[in-house]
Amino acid sequence: MYSRRSLLAHLGIAGAGIMLTPYERFANGLVDSLIKKAYAEEVNQTPSRYYVNVFFPGGPSRFVFDHWIRTNESDPALNFNPMISTAYTSSGGRVSGLQYKTYNQSGILVPHLFSQSVRTSMGAYNLSNILSNMMAIRGFSSGIDGHQFNLTTQMAPVGGISSMSALGPDISSRPFEAVQYPERGSYNKFDSQKGKAINVLNGATPLKTLFEGLLPSAGELARASNLKARNIAAYERAQSQLKALSAVDATGAKVLKSSLDNARQLLKKGIGDIDGYWNSAVARYRGIINEAVRTQNIPGISDMPIIPAGGPQWNFAMRGSQPDLSPDQDLRSILPGLTIGSLAENFALAEFMIRGEYASSIEVHMDAGIQNVTLKNAAGAMITGNHESDMHTTGAFPAVLMMNCLYRGVLSAVAEFQQRLQSQQTSLGTNAWEDTVLHFVGDFTRVARLDGAGADHGFNQLGTSIISGAFTNGPFVTGNIQKGDVGGYYGGTVGTAAQVEDYNIKGPPRPVFAASQIAEVLRLHENPFRNLANPVVKLNGNTLNYVSSQFKGKIVG
């Protein structure tokens, strides 16, 4: 087995004072990654699954999406709080009330959103198809308020153990290890126990930024001679090295042979297709997301007039303002202009990185939530701005429409992403979707105000989810929640964490509970959280199972 240093020496481009072109650096990293992966597979140390962390800044409400409340027919009836609503009721030809509407999918009651359809580049897609690959994880608590604290605690729940985004890079070797887009600033929490680093990207063309980051300095460029010839030579050397290594009777050689065609493709592609891919992929995702967000006549959501009736349940929080809504505006009129932050760019980046096998972990986030909302205020003036994701003062009625729009957009991107990866075979012989785990995380979820006027920081009501082709027999729900009231402004069944019976954590579980369940699906060599929080699910082939039936999430108390 060649070390990276010996590999570079064999490629003929290593040594003191040698300046590498961007393509030479890319080729080196790629070949190194392929050889390490071949060696790992030969000794049954398959690389981790790709991990995509999707962050919802501000902590928007998720009852419509993945913060599931009543999930079993055997669960007690809810103490209903209007802020957990997932659909409207009507009378007199208009919206008049709210309901927690679900339907039964494979024995789990799931929110109304998943009964809806969107369109991808391949045609109509029913969102229920996602559920076979989905696990909702709820009923855990940090016990402490704060946006930054709760996000970073979920990303790195235990000191001395790699953060969620570093788990894969620490046991795998891919050219860029980990990528973050856009920059998370003080919300960044990438801790590697193996000294790996995350590539932080910004701007409108993050892929170009990523590869241009390999460029030498201006002075080095001035000394470079005939870059085109050197790039051709780098490609030929890499190909020659891969052929030579695959021909020998050595550990990893057998696997490397099967990777040669893929290696040739990647080396040829290099960085030349970035602009063409990026522009078309972003446009493709944006079109799909916008259509999903703007869809009219969705049963229980936008199939009847939504006329503001006044009172706290009709509060609407815009970023920087709190307009009183006009009773003359049907809120469905806002739909044609809505967009969602950088969601299209997020998924275009993740698709490229995984289809090219460039990084083990990709962190993305929506930088502004739902944008371009145009409302008429009580004085008759039109106001355009962004919906406020930190939903302290968005009432129950607007929340149903806005959150259904938000998560329709998210799931339409997931559907397109899924279909694109399903058509891509990896160097391991699987399709890329089977090797990918999407993890959806916010600062926190929300604790709902009993009067329906808004929802505050749910640091004792934490919830998250994964969607992954690693298993096909979902949906799953883990973690118990309390039926009883929280107290104060809050009340009803709102997802407050409860103890799991016969579990190795006494009292409501901490964020390490969620980390342990996700680690079970990431295909790590071992689950680093196991001793602190037992996994309650186990993956066998492409089938996920509860370790015991008692660990299926339920309402208690």
Side-chain angles (χ1 to χ4, degrees):
M1 181 64 185
Y2 284 94
S3 68
R4 179 170 176 80
R5 180 175 296 179
S6 63
L7 171 67
L8 296 183
H10 277 272
L11 286 173
I13 51 177
I18 299 297
M19 183 277 298
L20 304 184
T21 71
Y23 191 89
E24 285 171 337
R25 296 186 186 197
F26 174 76
N28 293 352
L30 183 59
V31 173
D32 193 14
S33 171
L34 286 166
I35 292 171
K36 286 181 179 177
K37 181 162 34 177
Y39 179 84
E41 189 172 347
E42 188 79 6
V43 296
N44 296 317
Q45 292 185 349
T46 306
S48 69
R49 287 191 165 89
Y50 299 100
Y51 171 79
V52 183
N53 181 273
V54 183
F55 170 39
F56 301 132
S61 173
R62 292 162 68 164
F63 299 111
V64 162
F65 170 44
D66 65 351
H67 194 192
W68 299 350
I69 301 300
R70 187 172 185 267
T71 57
N72 306 297
E73 298 287 2
S74 59
D75 279 341
L78 299 176
N79 291 343
F80 182 69
N81 181 308
M83 288 302 304
I84 72 167
S85 299
T86 61
Y88 296 120
T89 61
S90 65
S91 63
R94 61 194 285 177
V95 165
S96 59
L98 299 154
Q99 61 177 319
Y100 185 71
K101 186 175 184 180
T102 61
Y103 74 96
N104 192 312
Q105 176 85 10
S106 303
I108 300 291
L109 302 178
V110 298
H112 176 58
L113 171 66
F114 292 94
S115 68
Q116 301 169 27
S117 294
V118 297
R119 292 191 64 82
T120 69
S121 61
M122 299 182 187
Y125 184 101
N126 193 292
L127 294 178
S128 64
N129 293 329
I130 287 173
L131 290 167
S132 63
N133 301 138
M134 186 167 181
M135 175 169 59
I137 307 168
R138 63 180 191 179
F140 59 103
S141 163
S142 75
I144 300 174
D145 196 2
H147 286 270
Q148 179 182 334
F149 172 80
N150 277 275
L151 185 276
T152 56
T153 298
Q154 292 177 79
M155 293 298 295
V158 181
I161 296 178
S162 294
S163 61
M164 298 303 296
S165 295
L167 292 173
D170 274 2
I171 67 164
S172 306
S173 179
R174 293 179 174 119
F176 295 109
E177 304 294 3
V179 171
Q180 181 185 106
Y181 173 74
E183 183 177 359
R184 294 188 180 182
S186 61
Y187 286 77
N188 179 51
K189 191 64 174 177
F190 184 87
D191 292 337
S192 166
Q193 298 301 302
K194 298 293 182 66
K196 301 293 181 71
I198 192 165
N199 296 275
V200 178
L201 307 175
N202 287 302
T205 55
L207 289 178
K208 195 169 184 179
T209 301
L210 178 63
F211 283 90
E212 284 182 345
L214 302 176
L215 287 169
S217 68
E220 290 173 328
L221 279 174
R223 296 192 297 272
S225 62
N226 199 341
L227 292 179
K228 182 178 179 181
R230 288 185 60 176
N231 290 344
I232 292 171
Y235 169 74
E236 291 174 348
R237 284 192 297 269
Q239 281 292 290
S240 174
Q241 184 68 12
L242 286 170
K243 283 184 179 180
L245 288 172
S246 68
V248 302
D249 183 17
T251 301
K254 179 181 175 182
V255 178
L256 191 58
K257 286 178 184 177
S258 67
S259 300
L260 274 177
D261 286 341
N262 185 54
R264 290 189 190 99
Q265 235 178 16
L266 293 174
L267 285 164
K268 268 188 171 180
K269 181 169 61 175
I271 60 174
D273 67 345
I274 287 178
D275 286 336
Y277 167 81
W278 183 251
N279 293 333
S280 63
V282 170
R284 169 166 49 86
Y285 276 104
R286 183 168 290 132
I288 290 165
I289 293 164
N290 285 348
E291 180 178 342
V293 170
R294 298 169 181 176
T295 299
Q296 303 267 6
N297 298 315
I298 299 170
I301 302 295
S302 56
D303 58 343
M304 65 202 95
I306 308 171
I307 310 298
Q313 292 190 4
W314 287 93
N315 289 347
F316 199 114
M318 301 279 275
R319 190 159 295 177
S321 67
Q322 181 81 37
D324 292 327
L325 300 181
S326 168
D328 298 328
Q329 182 182 24
D330 181 346
L331 288 186
R332 295 180 300 174
S333 65
I334 71 176
L335 295 176
L338 298 183
T339 60
I340 302 180
S342 56
L343 189 61
E345 290 84 351
N346 292 170
F347 276 88
L349 175 76
E351 180 188 311
F352 183 89
M353 299 306 293
I354 292 174
R355 285 173 65 93
E357 303 187 34
Y358 296 133
S360 297
S361 290
I362 303 101
E363 293 185 355
V364 295
H365 77 264
M366 300 179 298
D367 56 358
I370 299 182
Q371 299 176 319
N372 202 34
V373 182
T374 300
L375 296 171
K376 180 188 286 188
N377 67 17
M382 303 305 294
I383 301 171
T384 298
N386 299 335
H387 180 246
E388 175 56 69
S389 296
D390 191 8
M391 296 172 58
H392 292 285
T393 53
T394 291
F397 279 97
V400 169
L401 178 65
M402 298 306 290
M403 293 303 96
N404 196 83
C405 288
L406 175 65
Y407 296 117
R408 271 181 64 85
V410 170
L411 290 181
S412 70
V414 170
E416 174 71 7
F417 183 71
Q418 175 197 59
Q419 291 179 329
R420 290 282 168 164
L421 295 192
Q422 284 174 332
S423 66
Q424 177 73 33
Q425 188 176 52
T426 71
S427 58
L428 296 178
T430 59
N431 74 61
W433 176 240
E434 295 173 7
D435 268 354
T436 298
V437 177
L438 288 165
H439 176 202
F440 299 90
V441 63
D443 307 9
F444 26 60
T445 44
R446 312 299 298 190
V447 57
R449 299 183 189 176
L450 189 55
D451 64 359
D456 299 321
H457 298 175
F459 52 89
N460 289 324
Q461 294 80 20
L462 293 176
T464 188
S465 67
I466 61 169
I467 298 174
S468 172
F471 59 92
T472 58
N473 63 321
F476 289 83
V477 58
T478 64
N480 294 344
I481 60 173
Q482 298 176 22
K483 178 183 177 179
D485 293 351
V486 180
Y489 291 109
Y490 315 108
T493 313
V494 295
T496 302
Q499 182 169 333
V500 177
E501 184 182 359
D502 295 328
Y503 192 60
N504 70 327
I505 295 177
K506 301 304 178 184
R510 295 305 187 187
V512 67
F513 170 79
S516 185
Q517 314 320 313
I518 297 166
E520 282 296 300
V521 182
L522 278 175
R523 197 171 58 206
L524 305 174
H525 300 161
E526 61 180 359
N527 182 341
F529 308 109
R530 174 181 292 274
N531 292 334
L532 297 169
N534 289 337
V536 300
V537 293
K538 183 175 179 60
L539 190 63
N540 183 15
N542 64 353
T543 301
L544 192 67
N545 294 299
Y546 297 106
V547 172
S548 168
S549 59
Q550 73 188 45
F551 291 140
K552 181 180 179 181
K554 56 183 177 287
I555 296 175
V556 299

PDB file of all heavy atoms in Angstrom, residues 396-416:
ATOM      1  N   ALA A 396     -50.865  30.811  14.444  1.00  0.00           N
ATOM      2  CA  ALA A 396     -51.155  29.463  13.970  1.00  0.00           C
ATOM      3  C   ALA A 396     -51.705  29.438  12.549  1.00  0.00           C
ATOM      4  O   ALA A 396     -51.376  28.522  11.777  1.00  0.00           O
ATOM      5  CB  ALA A 396     -52.142  28.789  14.929  1.00  0.00           C
ATOM      6  N   PHE A 397     -52.530  30.413  12.176  1.00  0.00           N
ATOM      7  CA  PHE A 397     -53.122  30.370  10.836  1.00  0.00           C
ATOM      8  C   PHE A 397     -52.084  30.623   9.736  1.00  0.00           C
ATOM      9  O   PHE A 397     -51.948  29.795   8.824  1.00  0.00           O
ATOM     10  CB  PHE A 397     -54.295  31.361  10.740  1.00  0.00           C
ATOM     11  CG  PHE A 397     -55.571  30.824  11.319  1.00  0.00           C
ATOM     12  CD1 PHE A 397     -55.955  31.147  12.617  1.00  0.00           C
ATOM     13  CD2 PHE A 397     -56.398  29.991  10.579  1.00  0.00           C
ATOM     14  CE1 PHE A 397     -57.124  30.651  13.166  1.00  0.00           C
ATOM     15  CE2 PHE A 397     -57.575  29.484  11.116  1.00  0.00           C
ATOM     16  CZ  PHE A 397     -57.942  29.809  12.416  1.00  0.00           C
ATOM     17  N   PRO A 398     -51.324  31.714   9.766  1.00  0.00           N
ATOM     18  CA  PRO A 398     -50.279  31.867   8.737  1.00  0.00           C
ATOM     19  C   PRO A 398     -49.225  30.773   8.779  1.00  0.00           C
ATOM     20  O   PRO A 398     -48.669  30.403   7.745  1.00  0.00           O
ATOM     21  CB  PRO A 398     -49.667  33.240   9.052  1.00  0.00           C
ATOM     22  CG  PRO A 398     -50.708  33.963   9.814  1.00  0.00           C
ATOM     23  CD  PRO A 398     -51.408  32.910  10.611  1.00  0.00           C
ATOM     24  N   ALA A 399     -48.957  30.222   9.979  1.00  0.00           N
ATOM     25  CA  ALA A 399     -47.900  29.214  10.105  1.00  0.00           C
ATOM     26  C   ALA A 399     -48.204  27.978   9.268  1.00  0.00           C
ATOM     27  O   ALA A 399     -47.295  27.394   8.663  1.00  0.00           O
ATOM     28  CB  ALA A 399     -47.716  28.821  11.564  1.00  0.00           C
ATOM     29  N   VAL A 400     -49.466  27.559   9.210  1.00  0.00           N
ATOM     30  CA  VAL A 400     -49.812  26.371   8.417  1.00  0.00           C
ATOM     31  C   VAL A 400     -49.455  26.591   6.948  1.00  0.00           C
ATOM     32  O   VAL A 400     -48.805  25.747   6.314  1.00  0.00           O
ATOM     33  CB  VAL A 400     -51.301  26.017   8.574  1.00  0.00           C
ATOM     34  CG1 VAL A 400     -51.714  24.966   7.544  1.00  0.00           C
ATOM     35  CG2 VAL A 400     -51.584  25.509   9.975  1.00  0.00           C
ATOM     36  N   LEU A 401     -49.851  27.725   6.395  1.00  0.00           N
ATOM     37  CA  LEU A 401     -49.563  28.004   4.985  1.00  0.00           C
ATOM     38  C   LEU A 401     -48.067  28.147   4.742  1.00  0.00           C
ATOM     39  O   LEU A 401     -47.514  27.530   3.827  1.00  0.00           O
ATOM     40  CB  LEU A 401     -50.277  29.286   4.549  1.00  0.00           C
ATOM     41  CG  LEU A 401     -50.016  29.731   3.105  1.00  0.00           C
ATOM     42  CD1 LEU A 401     -50.576  28.720   2.122  1.00  0.00           C
ATOM     43  CD2 LEU A 401     -50.588  31.124   2.855  1.00  0.00           C
ATOM     44  N   MET A 402     -47.393  28.942   5.576  1.00  0.00           N
ATOM     45  CA  MET A 402     -45.978  29.232   5.333  1.00  0.00           C
ATOM     46  C   MET A 402     -45.111  27.994   5.515  1.00  0.00           C
ATOM     47  O   MET A 402     -44.184  27.741   4.736  1.00  0.00           O
ATOM     48  CB  MET A 402     -45.508  30.354   6.256  1.00  0.00           C
ATOM     49  CG  MET A 402     -46.236  31.675   6.052  1.00  0.00           C
ATOM     50  SD  MET A 402     -46.206  32.245   4.334  1.00  0.00           S
ATOM     51  CE  MET A 402     -44.480  32.670   4.163  1.00  0.00           C
ATOM     52  N   MET A 403     -45.378  27.195   6.543  1.00  0.00           N
ATOM     53  CA  MET A 403     -44.554  26.005   6.772  1.00  0.00           C
ATOM     54  C   MET A 403     -44.853  24.914   5.741  1.00  0.00           C
ATOM     55  O   MET A 403     -43.956  24.164   5.355  1.00  0.00           O
ATOM     56  CB  MET A 403     -44.746  25.492   8.189  1.00  0.00           C
ATOM     57  CG  MET A 403     -44.212  26.441   9.262  1.00  0.00           C
ATOM     58  SD  MET A 403     -42.438  26.844   9.073  1.00  0.00           S
ATOM     59  CE  MET A 403     -42.520  28.418   8.167  1.00  0.00           C
ATOM     60  N   ASN A 404     -46.100  24.824   5.287  1.00  0.00           N
ATOM     61  CA  ASN A 404     -46.374  23.873   4.211  1.00  0.00           C
ATOM     62  C   ASN A 404     -45.609  24.269   2.952  1.00  0.00           C
ATOM     63  O   ASN A 404     -45.037  23.408   2.262  1.00  0.00           O
ATOM     64  CB  ASN A 404     -47.875  23.809   3.931  1.00  0.00           C
ATOM     65  CG  ASN A 404     -48.255  22.586   3.121  1.00  0.00           C
ATOM     66  OD1 ASN A 404     -48.434  21.487   3.647  1.00  0.00           O
ATOM     67  ND2 ASN A 404     -48.361  22.750   1.816  1.00  0.00           N
ATOM     68  N   CYS A 405     -45.563  25.565   2.660  1.00  0.00           N
ATOM     69  CA  CYS A 405     -44.780  26.045   1.504  1.00  0.00           C
ATOM     70  C   CYS A 405     -43.302  25.741   1.688  1.00  0.00           C
ATOM     71  O   CYS A 405     -42.643  25.239   0.767  1.00  0.00           O
ATOM     72  CB  CYS A 405     -44.972  27.545   1.329  1.00  0.00           C
ATOM     73  SG  CYS A 405     -46.586  28.038   0.696  1.00  0.00           S
ATOM     74  N   LEU A 406     -42.765  26.066   2.857  1.00  0.00           N
ATOM     75  CA  LEU A 406     -41.338  25.870   3.104  1.00  0.00           C
ATOM     76  C   LEU A 406     -40.943  24.413   2.908  1.00  0.00           C
ATOM     77  O   LEU A 406     -39.999  24.103   2.170  1.00  0.00           O
ATOM     78  CB  LEU A 406     -40.992  26.321   4.522  1.00  0.00           C
ATOM     79  CG  LEU A 406     -39.548  26.075   4.965  1.00  0.00           C
ATOM     80  CD1 LEU A 406     -38.574  26.904   4.148  1.00  0.00           C
ATOM     81  CD2 LEU A 406     -39.374  26.381   6.454  1.00  0.00           C
ATOM     82  N   TYR A 407     -41.662  23.514   3.545  1.00  0.00           N
ATOM     83  CA  TYR A 407     -41.235  22.115   3.526  1.00  0.00           C
ATOM     84  C   TYR A 407     -41.660  21.390   2.253  1.00  0.00           C
ATOM     85  O   TYR A 407     -41.049  20.376   1.889  1.00  0.00           O
ATOM     86  CB  TYR A 407     -41.702  21.413   4.796  1.00  0.00           C
ATOM     87  CG  TYR A 407     -41.039  22.007   6.025  1.00  0.00           C
ATOM     88  CD1 TYR A 407     -41.774  22.647   7.017  1.00  0.00           C
ATOM     89  CD2 TYR A 407     -39.647  21.978   6.164  1.00  0.00           C
ATOM     90  CE1 TYR A 407     -41.158  23.210   8.126  1.00  0.00           C
ATOM     91  CE2 TYR A 407     -39.019  22.547   7.265  1.00  0.00           C
ATOM     92  CZ  TYR A 407     -39.776  23.159   8.239  1.00  0.00           C
ATOM     93  OH  TYR A 407     -39.149  23.722   9.319  1.00  0.00           O
ATOM     94  N   ARG A 408     -42.671  21.891   1.537  1.00  0.00           N
ATOM     95  CA  ARG A 408     -42.899  21.395   0.167  1.00  0.00           C
ATOM     96  C   ARG A 408     -41.671  21.698  -0.694  1.00  0.00           C
ATOM     97  O   ARG A 408     -41.230  20.856  -1.486  1.00  0.00           O
ATOM     98  CB  ARG A 408     -44.128  22.066  -0.465  1.00  0.00           C
ATOM     99  CG  ARG A 408     -45.444  21.379  -0.222  1.00  0.00           C
ATOM    100  CD  ARG A 408     -46.571  22.123  -0.920  1.00  0.00           C
ATOM    101  NE  ARG A 408     -46.413  22.096  -2.379  1.00  0.00           N
ATOM    102  CZ  ARG A 408     -46.841  21.113  -3.170  1.00  0.00           C
ATOM    103  NH1 ARG A 408     -47.420  20.049  -2.648  1.00  0.00           N
ATOM    104  NH2 ARG A 408     -46.687  21.196  -4.484  1.00  0.00           N
ATOM    105  N   GLY A 409     -41.137  22.909  -0.537  1.00  0.00           N
ATOM    106  CA  GLY A 409     -39.935  23.262  -1.286  1.00  0.00           C
ATOM    107  C   GLY A 409     -38.765  22.377  -0.928  1.00  0.00           C
ATOM    108  O   GLY A 409     -38.048  21.875  -1.798  1.00  0.00           O
ATOM    109  N   VAL A 410     -38.561  22.159   0.378  1.00  0.00           N
ATOM    110  CA  VAL A 410     -37.457  21.308   0.829  1.00  0.00           C
ATOM    111  C   VAL A 410     -37.609  19.891   0.280  1.00  0.00           C
ATOM    112  O   VAL A 410     -36.671  19.308  -0.271  1.00  0.00           O
ATOM    113  CB  VAL A 410     -37.384  21.288   2.368  1.00  0.00           C
ATOM    114  CG1 VAL A 410     -36.411  20.223   2.857  1.00  0.00           C
ATOM    115  CG2 VAL A 410     -36.972  22.658   2.902  1.00  0.00           C
ATOM    116  N   LEU A 411     -38.802  19.321   0.407  1.00  0.00           N
ATOM    117  CA  LEU A 411     -39.002  17.933  -0.018  1.00  0.00           C
ATOM    118  C   LEU A 411     -39.000  17.784  -1.534  1.00  0.00           C
ATOM    119  O   LEU A 411     -38.631  16.722  -2.048  1.00  0.00           O
ATOM    120  CB  LEU A 411     -40.298  17.384   0.573  1.00  0.00           C
ATOM    121  CG  LEU A 411     -40.263  17.143   2.087  1.00  0.00           C
ATOM    122  CD1 LEU A 411     -41.595  16.583   2.567  1.00  0.00           C
ATOM    123  CD2 LEU A 411     -39.136  16.191   2.473  1.00  0.00           C
ATOM    124  N   SER A 412     -39.371  18.823  -2.269  1.00  0.00           N
ATOM    125  CA  SER A 412     -39.251  18.745  -3.730  1.00  0.00           C
ATOM    126  C   SER A 412     -37.774  18.668  -4.124  1.00  0.00           C
ATOM    127  O   SER A 412     -37.402  17.927  -5.048  1.00  0.00           O
ATOM    128  CB  SER A 412     -39.928  19.947  -4.403  1.00  0.00           C
ATOM    129  OG  SER A 412     -39.205  21.159  -4.186  1.00  0.00           O
ATOM    130  N   ALA A 413     -36.916  19.420  -3.414  1.00  0.00           N
ATOM    131  CA  ALA A 413     -35.475  19.338  -3.668  1.00  0.00           C
ATOM    132  C   ALA A 413     -34.939  17.966  -3.287  1.00  0.00           C
ATOM    133  O   ALA A 413     -34.102  17.387  -3.984  1.00  0.00           O
ATOM    134  CB  ALA A 413     -34.742  20.440  -2.902  1.00  0.00           C
ATOM    135  N   VAL A 414     -35.415  17.422  -2.158  1.00  0.00           N
ATOM    136  CA  VAL A 414     -35.004  16.078  -1.744  1.00  0.00           C
ATOM    137  C   VAL A 414     -35.397  15.054  -2.805  1.00  0.00           C
ATOM    138  O   VAL A 414     -34.613  14.153  -3.139  1.00  0.00           O
ATOM    139  CB  VAL A 414     -35.636  15.715  -0.383  1.00  0.00           C
ATOM    140  CG1 VAL A 414     -35.407  14.241  -0.058  1.00  0.00           C
ATOM    141  CG2 VAL A 414     -35.066  16.590   0.719  1.00  0.00           C
ATOM    142  N   ALA A 415     -36.609  15.166  -3.337  1.00  0.00           N
ATOM    143  CA  ALA A 415     -37.080  14.214  -4.352  1.00  0.00           C
ATOM    144  C   ALA A 415     -36.204  14.257  -5.597  1.00  0.00           C
ATOM    145  O   ALA A 415     -35.824  13.212  -6.152  1.00  0.00           O
ATOM    146  CB  ALA A 415     -38.533  14.522  -4.704  1.00  0.00           C
ATOM    147  N   GLU A 416     -35.866  15.461  -6.067  1.00  0.00           N
ATOM    148  CA  GLU A 416     -34.991  15.588  -7.236  1.00  0.00           C
ATOM    149  C   GLU A 416     -33.609  15.037  -6.938  1.00  0.00           C
ATOM    150  O   GLU A 416     -33.015  14.310  -7.749  1.00  0.00           O
ATOM    151  CB  GLU A 416     -34.895  17.067  -7.636  1.00  0.00           C
ATOM    152  CG  GLU A 416     -33.898  17.377  -8.744  1.00  0.00           C
ATOM    153  CD  GLU A 416     -34.319  16.886 -10.125  1.00  0.00           C
ATOM    154  OE1 GLU A 416     -35.459  16.406 -10.264  1.00  0.00           O
ATOM    155  OE2 GLU A 416     -33.497  16.984 -11.053  1.00  0.00           O
TER     156      GLU A 416
END
